[in-house]
Amino acid sequence: MPAPIRLRELIRTIRTARTQAEEREMIQKECAAIRSSFREEDNTYRCRNVAKLLYMHMLGYPAHFGQLECLKLIASQKFTDKRIGYLGAMLLLDERQDVHLLMTNCIKNDLNHSTQYVQGLALCTLGCMGSSEMCRDLAGEVEKLLKTSNSYLRKKAALCAVHVIRKVPELMEMFLPATKNLLNEKNHGVLHTSVVLLTEMCERSPDMLAHFRKLVPQLVRILKNLIMSGYSPEHDVSGISDPFLQVRILRLLRILGRNDDDSSEAMNDILAQVATNTETSKNVGNAILYETVLTIMDIKSESGLRVLAINILGRFLLNNDKNIRYVALTSLLKTVQTDHNAVQRHRSTIVDCLKDLDVSIKRRAMELSFALVNGNNIRGMMKELLYFLDSCEPEFKADCASGIFLAAEKYAPSKRWHIDTIMRVLTTAGSYVRDDAVPNLIQLITNSVEMHAYTVQRLYKAILGDYSQQPLVQVAAWCIGEYGDLLVSGQCEEEEPIQVTEDEVLDILESVLISNMSTSVTRGYALTAIMKLSTRFTCTVNRIKKVVSIYGSSIDVELQQRAVEYNALFKKYDHMRSALLERMPVMEKVTTNGPTEIVQTNGETEPAPLETKPPPSGPQPTSQANDLLDLLGGNDITPVIPTAPTSKPASAGGELLDLLGDINLTGAPAAPPAPASVPQTSQPPFLLDGLSSQPLFNDITTGIPSITAYSKNGLKIEFTFERSNTNPSVTVITIQASNSTELDMTDFVFQAAVPKTFQLQLLSPSSSIVPAFNTGTITQVIKVLNPQKQQLRMRIKLTYNHKGSAMQDLAEELWEGGCDRWQVPPNCTMGLRS
Amino acid sequence: MIKFFLMVNKQGQTRLSKYYEHVEISKRTLLETEVIKSCLSRSNEQCSFIEFKDFKLIYRQYAALFIVVGVNDTENEMAIYEFIHNFVEVLDEYFSRVVNNV
């Protein structure tokens, strides 16, 4: 059998292969030759064969049959054999193979070998692939070698110790005594690996960390020597002495100085020195400066040092080298939270980076820009960001758009600017805008009352040309539906008004409906908008009726349902149509996360999921509301029906709507939802958003004595007063109803009404039964907002069942004397009805 | 921590690979091709640090050879960049004209 070819030959042969298949063929042939050679137990050429096998393994071909051969090589006495054997072990073997344990004995023997190179090999291999069992067995040997004076071995032993600690953390204490004078070495190799070992120990165990803190002065000294020492040829890299060691030491200092004032103090000087003395013309210097900056930011450094660090980062940003810019942006992003002002100074440079060609730099610059936006620079920043949005890659557009919306919301200098910005985003990146932005935008537009005409005009113009961007079309459709009358009337102060006829508006909405590009949601918006226009437009109602009836047979169930309901509105409920489709009131922004989030109760047709109202648990206040209104009569009192303000008694029918048509019920939307009304809930309401139904013991009582507001027929109602802590013009009244008769009072309902200048909120009562013999009370909380600090009048009405018959009663309270005292007026009307 | 060290040429052939964390053999070739693809698609204007899956790649090009080092988050990218150059210089010292022979 001829001698197997050398590794070099093999490599050359494989390189000549022109295709993957050819290469595979060659390798298979060689593998077969190697396998037969192994079977023959050929000692002379074993190491050559294994070397070739390792090369093929590196190219990605399976080489597991060589594992045992590696072991045989390790056991051999020749150094060349051992070398390849250990290399093979590192590449082919790991703890997943059972074979590896056979190595343990070999390694043990080699760790005590007379030649340092053999010992070195053994240490390397153990440090590379040693399993936990092997590490446990051999840790003692490693520790012994760690204390030797031979620096070649010491440095390898230190790295091996790192691996042992990673595999078997319990052995960490074993290495502790050996670390005592590791840092006293002159040899940089040993120093470097010792620092790595110390870093590993500190990261794994807080006790070790505390223990090694005393090494900080020594580390500082070593670092100082590195910087101050002159040129030393063995450690020089582009003019800097051993930058890798410097970086390592800085990293260890960072770990030691974190959260510790004394160590941080000890490091301040050296960090400042490194920061100022390091040469920045080459990458090496910048690498060290980067590490220094990271360290300064992480420890408890003094503010002067931090400013220095941020200035270094700012300087990096101006550097031509893109690597450095990238690194600087990443670090600035991390520090912008803590050192905001310092970073602001470099804002213009950061904004310039938005125009960089590199994708990662652009992304970081964008994130950083958003973090830096504030009230002062919003206009300038927004210009840059909008320009960026125009020109950036699609993967950024969604994030950028969301960021712009957030920033605009927080810092918009004027409503018109805000709306312009939104329009710009919608038109440039319309299809990338996130879905949840649409309701937010709609709410924003509703709230800027004076800009309605301008907004709707601009939106109309925007979708005239192109109605493919869904979020834009949705917002536009909604606005046109809402403010279509402003559009056709041609009144607009901000801009040149355009002449639009009703037919043109309907044309565009219909084309949105028909278009293939419109999603189902968009179509829903468009249909609702057309419907709303039926009350706002005068001459095209027939056309609208026709469109709506066509969609009554649409395949899309959502559209079909809407169309059918609108049809019904036209036919059976025409009298209700105008009230139902009235202009939406200003919506309060609800920031709570409860189920009653921004309810876009534009009838039942909003695409936002309309949460089901909780079913009424108490008696319907509907008919009673009528009574209350009759009683109170007059125009000076605004009844507040004690229901959640988000709903209205709906199904009562026409007469109620007529009644309520004139009354200003703040916060209640014009179009009632289909389900029946809701009695008082204790969820945070739209109305008095500043208040919450938090426990009232947070509020301070202001010494207003409690009064008995009503006492008749055994029913006693007491009022206790507190001034709300959160809002001084809110008074919180707790009523307690008690029953001194011998029978319970059931279905107890307490209602109240206040004059227009006040706002009232009734929370849920604790129950609806007042137990007899004063054994218990019903508690209910009323919150009264009195912004004008006027004299409060309140009319209360009580309803309950007692002794088998229904009882009702009314009372009037007068709060006199500048909100200090309550009185029951002597001539209060009391009537008993059954 | 360094996860792997690769030397790959422009055609995607691996010249040297060392993994410091276990990766399946089959996955290695896949990983190498993906890595070289992302490195080749970078122009000269772009920086040498790529965010790749859950680690960072730091690469440096020498003629037709790419040296790529994969690290995790804790490493100083610029120090690794310098380290790659140091490595090439060492190879050059030992074997002379390293880069031209690929």
Side-chain angles (χ1 to χ4, degrees), chain A residues 58 87 90-91 128, chain B residues 3-6 16-20:
Chain A
M58 201 167 71
L87 182 62
M90 281 194 262
L91 291 180
C128 187
Chain B
K3 305 270 183 183
F4 56 82
F5 187 103
L6 297 173
L16 175 71
S17 78
K18 180 89 165 79
Y19 288 85
Y20 294 95

Side-chain angles (χ1 to χ4, degrees), chain B residues 12-41:
Chain B
Q13 294 171 317
T14 310
R15 296 296 181 219
L16 175 71
S17 78
K18 180 89 165 79
Y19 288 85
Y20 294 95
E21 256 189 2
H22 183 77
V23 178
E24 294 289 331
I25 290 248
S26 49
K27 299 221 184 77
R28 284 188 196 189
T29 20
L30 200 61
L31 179 68
E32 281 155 30
T33 25
E34 275 180 27
V35 162
I36 196 65
K37 213 176 0 183
S38 38
C39 289
L40 281 174
S41 59

Side-chain angles (χ1 to χ4, degrees), chain A residues 14-15 17 23 55 57-63 87 90-91 94 96 128 166 203 237-238 243-244 247-248 251 254 283-288 290-291 294 316 321-327 330 356-361 363-364, chain B residues 1-2 7 9 13-26 28-29 32 42-51 56 58-60 73-87 89 95 101-102:
Chain A
I14 292 183
R15 290 268 189 103
E23 180 183 295
Y55 179 72
H57 171 83
M58 201 167 71
L59 291 181
Y61 297 93
L87 182 62
M90 281 194 262
L91 291 180
D94 56 42
R96 285 173 192 75
C128 187
R166 280 193 187 141
E203 274 174 353
V237 178
S238 307
F244 303 108
V247 165
R248 282 277 174 199
R251 196 173 304 166
R254 181 157 85 230
N283 184 55
V284 199
N286 289 326
I288 298 181
Y290 177 43
E291 195 73 31
L294 288 179
F316 276 179
D321 189 351
K322 46 229 170 348
N323 292 339
I324 297 178
R325 282 211 299 276
Y326 171 88
V327 146
T330 317
D356 201 288
L357 290 160
D358 183 295
V359 167
S360 354
I361 290 186
R363 175 173 285 284
R364 289 206 158 41
Chain B
M1 198 183 113
I2 297 183
M7 279 167 79
N9 78 351
Q13 294 171 317
T14 310
R15 296 296 181 219
L16 175 71
S17 78
K18 180 89 165 79
Y19 288 85
Y20 294 95
E21 256 189 2
H22 183 77
V23 178
E24 294 289 331
I25 290 248
S26 49
R28 284 188 196 189
T29 20
E32 281 155 30
R42 314 274 284 184
S43 70
N44 278 342
E45 300 299 321
Q46 296 174 303
C47 78
S48 305
F49 313 141
I50 309 176
E51 273 142 33
K56 285 188 266 199
I58 296 149
Y59 73 93
R60 226 174 150 149
D73 287 332
T74 57
E75 283 292 337
N76 178 340
E77 295 97 330
M78 290 170 46
I80 299 281
Y81 190 74
E82 201 54 43
F83 161 69
I84 295 177
H85 193 67
N86 199 6
F87 178 76
E89 279 178 356
F95 302 112
N101 280 349
V102 282

Side-chain angles (χ1 to χ4, degrees), chain A residues 402 405 426 433-442 471 475:
Chain A
S402 309
F405 284 146
L426 283 178
V433 167
R434 293 215 173 94
D435 293 331
D436 56 354
V438 173
N440 287 341
L441 292 178
I442 289 180
V475 176

